Amino acid sequence: MVETLLTGLRAAAEPTRLRLLHLLAQGELTVTEITQILGQSQPRVSRHLKLMCEAGLLDRFPEGAWVFYRLAANKGRGGAVARRLLDLLPEADQTLTLDQQRLSAIRAVRADRAQAYFRDNASRWNEIRSLQVDEAEVEKALMAVFAGRRVHDLVDMGTGTGRVLEVLGPHVERAIGIDLSREMLSVARTNLERLSLSNCMVRQGDIAQLPLPAASADAVTIHQVLHYAADPAALVAEAARVLEPGGRLAVVDFAPHGEEALRDQHAHRRLGFEDAEVEGWVRAAGLEPGPVSRLPGKPLTVVVWTAQKPQPTLKSTGATR
């Protein structure tokens, strides 16, 4: 512990690095965005970031050609040191205030770009929403799945614009959304920043091979994703892999329907799922099926399937004398 403290202090003991801590405690930024705020060269900023990552003060997340940085989420390593240092920074410091103003300007540009993307593609979601039950009812049913449970780590597979994180984020300790689309993730980041959900983050990744260790989450959601998947059973199995014993899975998707236009116009691979089919995937993944909620729409019915990962059982040794 002493060595961790000393390493963190050495890595942070420089004006620019303290500025970086202050910025990245408020959300994730790319190197390009950081250089714009600090007014320093990219090589110099990259060196600072490298040292701070090695000391555990920051987390680094590659996303295609981009790399995002943010304050370390792991409080057991350098993250605790970083947060203690942040408490010591003066609120009225002129340099930090200027950094904050530049950060706000960058966020405004990011929000404009995200809104433009969503505006250009909104008809795709609005058309589907008009065929189903009110989204507020779906979100209410999703929240009910985890009501009364203390969720430490939530994983949202195929997070898209991050709506599930917006809904569940205020009720969990930590949440991460995974999606392949950088455009969608840009929208999600803007939405999370707008709501100050600093306990939520999004990452680019393949949900068929989540960039997460086994048994690392106590809640997983798969919201309106399976009907796009070539192998829905594999996604359920991957959700089961990252669930810890006692963890709960919620799958939100459509009941079987005949809207063939959704295949051509919205790339739906499957036109809904039977309860027995989803239950089969759940059991094959080693999970126990739970309650099912049905929310009828016109003509699409939304279903919320639930499952839980069983606790390991202690086998009797049956010793004889």
Side-chain angles (χ1 to χ4, degrees):
M1 181 59 188
V2 173
E3 185 57 35
T4 298
L5 174 60
L6 291 174
T7 300
L9 291 175
R10 284 192 291 264
E14 199 275 343
T16 296
R17 296 175 201 166
L18 290 175
R19 293 169 67 187
L20 286 169
L21 282 181
H22 179 255
L23 286 170
L24 296 173
Q26 302 174 65
E28 49 199 37
L29 295 168
T30 65
V31 175
T32 299
E33 290 171 331
I34 294 171
T35 58
Q36 292 172 355
I37 294 172
L38 299 183
Q40 298 181 12
S41 68
Q42 183 167 327
R44 182 178 180 184
V45 169
S46 295
R47 284 196 298 272
H48 287 309
L49 292 170
K50 182 175 184 294
L51 287 170
M52 296 175 75
C53 286
E54 290 174 348
L57 300 176
L58 302 178
D59 287 335
R60 178 183 185 276
F61 300 96
E63 186 173 295
W66 294 2
V67 177
F68 285 89
Y69 294 86
R70 69 176 288 156
L71 195 72
N74 186 347
K75 295 181 180 180
R77 191 167 169 251
V81 178
R83 285 168 176 77
R84 185 64 62 88
L85 291 172
L86 284 170
D87 292 338
L88 299 175
L89 292 179
E91 295 182 4
D93 183 83
Q94 293 183 354
T95 300
L96 297 183
T97 300
L98 180 58
D99 288 346
Q100 187 66 44
Q101 292 171 352
R102 291 172 176 169
L103 173 61
S104 298
I106 282 178
R107 283 180 168 175
V109 171
R110 186 192 293 174
D112 289 343
R113 289 175 180 170
Q115 184 59 36
Y117 174 81
F118 187 76
R119 182 177 60 248
D120 293 342
N121 292 273
S123 60
R124 188 163 70 92
W125 292 285
N126 291 338
E127 182 179 342
I128 296 175
R129 288 190 182 116
S130 69
L131 301 175
Q132 67 181 59
V133 68
D134 190 317
E135 194 68 22
E137 292 299 312
V138 179
E139 293 170 357
K140 182 179 178 181
L142 184 58
M143 288 185 65
V145 173
F146 302 103
R149 294 173 64 93
R150 184 178 180 183
V151 176
H152 299 284
D153 291 282
L154 166 72
V155 176
D156 182 34
M157 297 173 63
T159 197
T161 60
R163 181 56 188 169
V164 169
L165 300 183
E166 291 183 48
V167 172
L168 297 179
H171 309 287
V172 304
E173 289 187 23
R174 294 173 295 274
I176 181 169
I178 308 294
D179 203 288
L180 269 178
S181 171
R182 282 175 54 182
E183 292 80 9
M184 287 288 194
L185 294 178
S186 178
V187 175
R189 287 189 176 96
T190 299
N191 291 339
L192 296 176
E193 288 177 354
R194 172 174 51 82
L195 296 174
S196 299
L197 289 173
S198 59
N199 64 319
C200 300
M201 65 180 73
V202 293
R203 294 286 168 261
Q204 187 181 41
D206 184 354
I207 59 174
Q209 295 179 310
L210 290 170
L212 300 170
S216 58
D218 53 347
V220 176
T221 53
I222 310 177
H223 182 269
Q224 298 289 17
V225 171
L226 291 189
H227 58 253
Y228 293 110
D231 189 355
L235 297 187
V236 173
E238 183 65 357
R241 182 186 69 82
V242 300
L243 269 179
E244 63 183 31
R248 184 167 293 182
L249 168 67
V251 176
V252 181
D253 220 295
F254 297 123
H257 62 85
E259 297 296 310
E260 287 288 343
L262 293 179
R263 293 192 195 273
D264 298 328
Q265 298 175 17
H266 300 283
H268 286 208
R269 187 179 181 91
R270 295 288 303 276
L271 299 183
F273 305 97
E274 297 281 1
D275 289 351
E277 186 175 24
V278 177
E279 181 178 332
W281 297 334
V282 164
R283 290 192 183 280
L287 304 178
E288 297 174 346
V292 177
S293 302
R294 307 181 73 83
L295 305 170
K298 298 180 180 179
L300 301 181
T301 292
V302 176
V303 185
V304 182
W305 294 276
T306 66
Q308 188 154 317
K309 193 166 189 175
Q311 296 282 358
T313 57
L314 295 176
K315 296 182 179 180
S316 175
T317 58
T320 59
R321 292 181 182 270

